[in-house]
Amino acid sequence: MAKENFGSKIGAILAAAGSAVGLGNIWRFPTETGEHGGAAFLLIYVAFMLLLGVPIMVSEFVIGRHSQRSVSESFYMMSGGRKAWKLMGLIPVVAGFLVLSYYAVVAGWTLYYAFTSGINGFAGRTSEQFVDDFNTFISDPVQPLLWMVAILIVNGAIVALGVQRGIERGAKIMMPMLFVFIVILVGCSLTLPGAADGLGFMFKPDFSKVTHGIVLSAMGQAFFSLSVGLCCLCTYACYFRKDVNLMKDALSVGGIDTMVAILSGLIIFPAVFSIPGIAPSQGPSLVFVTLPNVFQQVFGGMPLLAYLFSLVFYLLLVMAALTSSISMLEMAVAYFHEDHGVDRRTASALSTVVCIVLGAACSLSFGLWSNVKVFDMGFFDLFDFIVCKLIMPIGGLLICVFLGWVVDEQVLKDELTNYGQLHTPYYPVYRFIIRYFAPICIALIFINELFQLA
Ligand code: PHE
């Protein structure tokens, strides 16, 4: 099948960065860091980004660009025709549905916040009211569902129309803008009274807070944030041009992604310690109750500025969420379209319907169905657990084993040097990681933590 390429090298980086940078950085990272005690978690997370996340991203790029096929065909072809590897093609479909279903719930909350900013609904609210407003909103049986459906429909429409050009163009404008806004907000947040405590929480590790779940959580967060382990980036790398430097791009994307996560922490935690009644460990609501507070506290005397800033920021957040959610739906659609010949639009529409149903269950787990538990978790937490703590580590491990042990080394060398044109000083390190370090490390963490859970 002829593939349309990203038109430029920077387009390729931005599209991958668009998938990577999203609510994982701005919502999930502060949530996880807060729940796991701050600095110690951050340290482990950054180590995993570098030692596992980026090498797995490079590997997904290699697989996608080398084979230019759907995931199951890529693994089949590159393994020299071993049927069992075809099963890897199931990972992106299953994970794509699960991850998009709960991600769309949070993306829906973001859209609602953009809307509320737009009608100036935050003006004059107090800290306590922000907390109440949010809790009332997410536990409502209808409202959050509607916003989630809106996100999923827009998402489905974009994927149905074909993604490459749209993503490339969107990402080129949106990513730098989001970055500028984030940097300004960090500046604002650091002027709040709790800034010093917030910084201490983020950067002074207290290893007594390292509980047994922290390592698997930090690994899951690193994988989630980079979108690795689900073969999602294989799908994107099919569209990379032959002159893209895969290793350099993965490092750039990893760098951008880590930076955005840390900057988000620098917005959230100083605010958390400045607002009474909010605890860093309070979970998924953290970002949604602190951010509007930051806008009001910093720009309180300048209503127009507060209005504009909060509106544009939430809109950018919605777009960041969309560039990630597109890549999630694309995983499922690519499977039905490329492996089973289903027309792109039909595949997008049907997959969207499945996600609406699953997403409704996730959304309701904050209200009406808050008592429905599977393994002691509501649907939202359950899906997050399955994706980040089961599928991503297993997927990452298999990808490493595949490229490190199954595929001919020459393929790796060819792809990473662009057939001898590039000098890749890190190749030996990368090869060591995918052959030994990553598989052993992931397996040990995984087994250890799962046994502790049981
Ligand atoms: N990396 C995305 C984010 O940080 C989430 C994502 C996970 C996207 C898995 C694709 C696949 O928001």
Side-chain angles (χ1 to χ4, degrees):
M1 180 181 313
K3 294 258 185 193
E4 181 189 7
N5 282 344
F6 283 116
S8 60
K9 283 200 222 176
I10 185 81
I13 303 183
L14 283 175
S19 166
V21 175
L23 298 174
N25 309 63
I26 296 156
W27 160 74
R28 200 175 186 281
F29 169 77
T31 304
E32 288 279 305
T33 308
E35 281 179 341
H36 293 100
F41 178 88
L42 175 66
L43 221 88
I44 306 175
Y45 158 78
V46 172
F48 282 144
M49 291 290 265
L50 223 99
L51 296 175
L52 298 178
V54 171
I56 297 176
M57 182 179 285
V58 172
S59 309
E60 293 199 19
F61 284 175
V62 167
I63 295 172
R65 190 177 68 174
H66 182 74
S67 63
Q68 310 262 316
R69 309 205 175 169
S70 73
V71 175
S72 63
E73 284 299 317
S74 304
F75 277 83
Y76 179 65
M77 178 192 105
M78 289 176 76
S79 67
R82 285 185 231 175
K83 281 241 166 62
W85 282 106
K86 267 196 161 181
L87 292 176
M88 286 296 283
L90 291 176
I91 290 187
V93 208
V94 175
F97 282 134
L98 292 178
V99 73
L100 180 54
S101 302
Y102 76 90
Y103 198 83
V105 175
V106 185
W109 297 348
T110 319
L111 188 58
Y112 167 74
Y113 270 59
F115 170 78
T116 311
S117 304
I119 57 168
N120 208 12
F122 290 136
R125 308 294 283 166
T126 63
S127 310
E128 292 81 27
Q129 285 171 325
F130 282 128
V131 178
D132 287 346
D133 289 351
F134 179 75
N135 290 334
T136 315
F137 169 67
I138 60 166
S139 53
D140 189 277
V142 184
Q143 277 231 30
L145 275 177
L146 295 179
W147 293 103
M148 178 202 78
V149 171
I151 285 282
L152 283 171
I153 289 178
V154 175
N155 190 53
I158 300 176
V159 173
L161 294 175
V163 284
Q164 302 90 291
R165 296 282 170 218
I167 292 182
E168 181 174 351
R169 219 169 286 150
K172 259 188 198 162
I173 306 166
M174 187 215 76
M175 301 277 298
M177 250 174 96
L178 181 68
F179 196 76
V180 171
F181 263 72
I182 288 179
V183 172
I184 299 177
L185 273 180
V186 171
C188 295
S189 216
L190 290 178
T191 64
L192 296 175
D197 291 338
L199 290 180
F201 180 79
M202 264 187 86
F203 296 119
K204 262 200 226 125
D206 171 356
F207 288 103
S208 66
K209 287 190 182 141
V210 176
T211 51
H212 80 258
I214 197 174
V215 181
L216 183 58
S217 297
M219 183 164 78
Q221 175 56 26
F223 285 12
F224 185 84
S225 189
L226 287 179
S227 319
V228 298
L230 307 178
C231 305
C232 169
L233 296 172
C234 297
T235 319
Y236 271 27
C238 292
Y239 310 121
F240 284 7
R241 294 195 329 199
K242 285 290 169 207
D243 58 351
V244 168
N245 183 337
L246 299 181
M247 215 176 262
K248 201 168 126 225
D249 277 14
L251 277 168
S252 312
V253 174
I256 296 173
D257 193 69
T258 311
M259 205 150 62
V260 174
I262 293 179
L263 290 174
S264 309
L266 286 176
I267 299 174
I268 304 298
F269 291 111
V272 170
F273 287 92
S274 310
I275 305 163
I278 293 177
S281 57
Q282 73 183 47
S285 64
L286 185 69
V287 171
F288 289 92
V289 292
T290 41
L291 270 182
N293 258 300
V294 176
F295 297 131
Q296 293 307 316
Q297 295 210 1
V298 175
F299 302 113
M302 301 165 278
L304 183 64
L305 214 57
Y307 171 79
L308 284 177
F309 213 90
S310 126
L311 176 63
V312 179
F313 184 77
Y314 280 115
L315 285 177
L316 287 171
L317 215 52
V318 170
M319 291 209 259
L322 272 174
T323 53
S324 300
S325 58
I326 287 169
S327 68
M328 295 171 182
L329 186 63
E330 179 67 18
M331 292 193 268
V333 169
Y335 172 81
F336 293 117
H337 179 56
E338 292 177 15
D339 284 353
H340 297 283
V342 181
D343 153 73
R344 217 182 151 79
R345 287 175 189 213
T346 317
S348 304
L350 289 178
S351 307
T352 299
V353 172
V354 174
C355 288
I356 289 177
V357 174
L358 294 175
C362 294
S363 182
L364 289 173
S365 68
F366 290 98
L368 212 57
W369 288 2
S370 59
N371 290 328
V372 182
K373 304 271 183 207
V374 184
F375 299 119
D376 222 18
M377 286 177 266
F379 286 112
F380 186 95
D381 291 337
L382 178 72
F383 285 13
D384 183 72
F385 178 86
I386 297 177
V387 171
C388 295
K389 296 186 179 164
L390 293 178
I391 306 185
M392 284 182 158
I394 295 176
L397 187 145
L398 290 173
I399 290 168
C400 290
V401 169
F402 183 70
L403 275 190
W405 298 93
V406 178
V407 172
D408 183 5
E409 193 186 350
Q410 194 54 41
V411 171
L412 264 190
K413 285 192 174 149
D414 286 347
E415 283 300 327
L416 293 177
T417 61
N418 288 351
Y419 292 84
Q421 286 173 12
L422 296 173
H423 175 59
T424 46
Y426 300 123
Y427 177 74
V429 184
Y430 164 72
R431 176 121 174 113
F432 174 78
I433 291 181
I434 57 164
R435 266 171 90 86
Y436 303 102
F437 179 76
I440 294 174
C441 180
I442 298 175
L444 283 181
I445 295 171
F446 197 63
I447 294 167
N448 177 40
E449 304 268 348
L450 283 187
F451 274 118
Q452 304 237 17
L453 274 180

